[in-house]
Amino acid sequence: MTTDWIAEARRVARGRRFDALGSSPVQQGARPAAPLSEAEICEAEAELGITFPDPYRAYLFRQDAGDAVKRLCRSAAGWGWHRDSDTNYALLATAFPHPDSYRAYEDELIAREPLAEDFPDHHAYQAVREQWDAEYEVFEERKTSGAVYIQDNGCGFSTLLVVTGPLHGSLWFDGRATCDQILPLNLDDQPVSFTNWLARRSMDLVGW
């Protein structure tokens, strides 16, 4: 059965449902949010369908990193991260994929990108092109399945905290704005823990 990628792209895009700018009671520049209780953390996990890594849970009991880490909070829209328009909540419970797992598909997808010169009929080209663009959009969105955009690093860069799958608890750098890659954060050639990451800059932990 042929996939309607335009419809799938629209469905996946709806997962970015949490408009923290308007839905959170926390105002920009305010003091760090109060620590969360065990009951609140469990409620958030149940609602989101995930289990937080232990170091991140310990952080939520403290909430001591100020604005460096996006705050988990509850609003009328439910639990989510303040000032976060990137995390796809519909994909949070899906395992985060290691970049090696989709490299072949990405190469194949790029290789079959439709070109206008291959289509004598412009309307036929437009139809094929729209489907390809939508498929690529879905593919890019699924690259961050099972991960939270835990920190905005500026210039289109972000730090990801994996909350689902075999890579649970690891941190990654979304550098697609320039290098088109999602890269692991490592410290002394080992995956950096959430606790150790808090005291460092993501840019210093990326193996470019």
Side-chain angles (χ1 to χ4, degrees):
M1 184 175 67
T2 302
T3 300
D4 182 345
W5 288 109
I6 295 175
E8 179 65 8
R10 289 172 181 160
R11 186 191 70 79
V12 170
R14 287 196 292 270
R16 294 188 181 192
R17 55 148 174 95
F18 194 90
D19 181 7
L21 282 172
S23 59
S24 172
V26 180
Q27 300 298 316
Q28 186 174 7
R31 294 175 61 84
L36 298 180
S37 68
E38 175 71 26
E40 288 173 319
I41 293 172
C42 290
E43 179 184 303
E45 289 178 317
E47 181 181 310
L48 298 169
I50 59 177
T51 301
F52 297 132
D54 288 341
Y56 180 61
R57 287 181 113 257
Y59 160 78
L60 292 174
F61 285 124
R62 303 190 314 269
Q63 295 262 341
D64 57 359
D67 289 330
V69 179
K70 292 180 181 177
R71 302 186 189 101
L72 178 68
C73 55
R74 179 172 49 198
S75 75
W79 283 96
W81 285 267
H82 182 56
R83 300 185 64 80
D84 177 20
S85 60
D86 295 309
T87 297
N88 193 309
Y89 290 73
L91 299 176
L92 268 183
T94 302
F96 178 79
H98 192 286
D100 289 345
S101 70
Y102 52 71
R103 210 172 304 281
Y105 173 67
E106 184 169 25
D107 290 343
E108 185 271 334
L109 180 59
I110 292 172
R112 58 180 167 83
E113 178 180 2
L115 303 175
E117 55 265 33
D118 295 331
F119 291 82
D121 185 321
H122 177 70
H123 294 293
Y125 165 69
Q126 283 295 107
V128 173
R129 181 75 208 194
E130 287 176 6
Q131 284 290 329
W132 187 91
D133 286 345
E135 182 179 0
Y136 194 83
E137 180 182 333
V138 170
F139 169 62
E140 286 292 326
E141 193 75 6
R142 288 175 176 168
K143 284 182 178 180
T144 56
S145 296
V148 176
Y149 281 77
I150 202 71
Q151 185 181 68
D152 183 350
N153 300 115
C155 300
F157 299 133
S158 297
T159 299
L160 304 169
L161 172 65
V162 177
V163 294
T164 308
L167 297 171
H168 184 266
S170 61
L171 290 126
W172 294 71
F173 189 74
D174 188 349
R176 289 177 292 177
T178 57
C179 71
D180 201 32
Q181 295 185 70
I182 296 176
L183 302 163
L185 297 187
N186 294 316
L187 180 64
D188 298 328
D189 297 322
Q190 297 295 322
V192 66
S193 70
F194 182 84
T195 303
N196 286 334
W197 167 76
L198 282 175
R200 293 169 172 81
R201 295 175 64 249
S202 293
M203 293 287 285
D204 296 333
L205 301 169
V206 181
W208 296 97

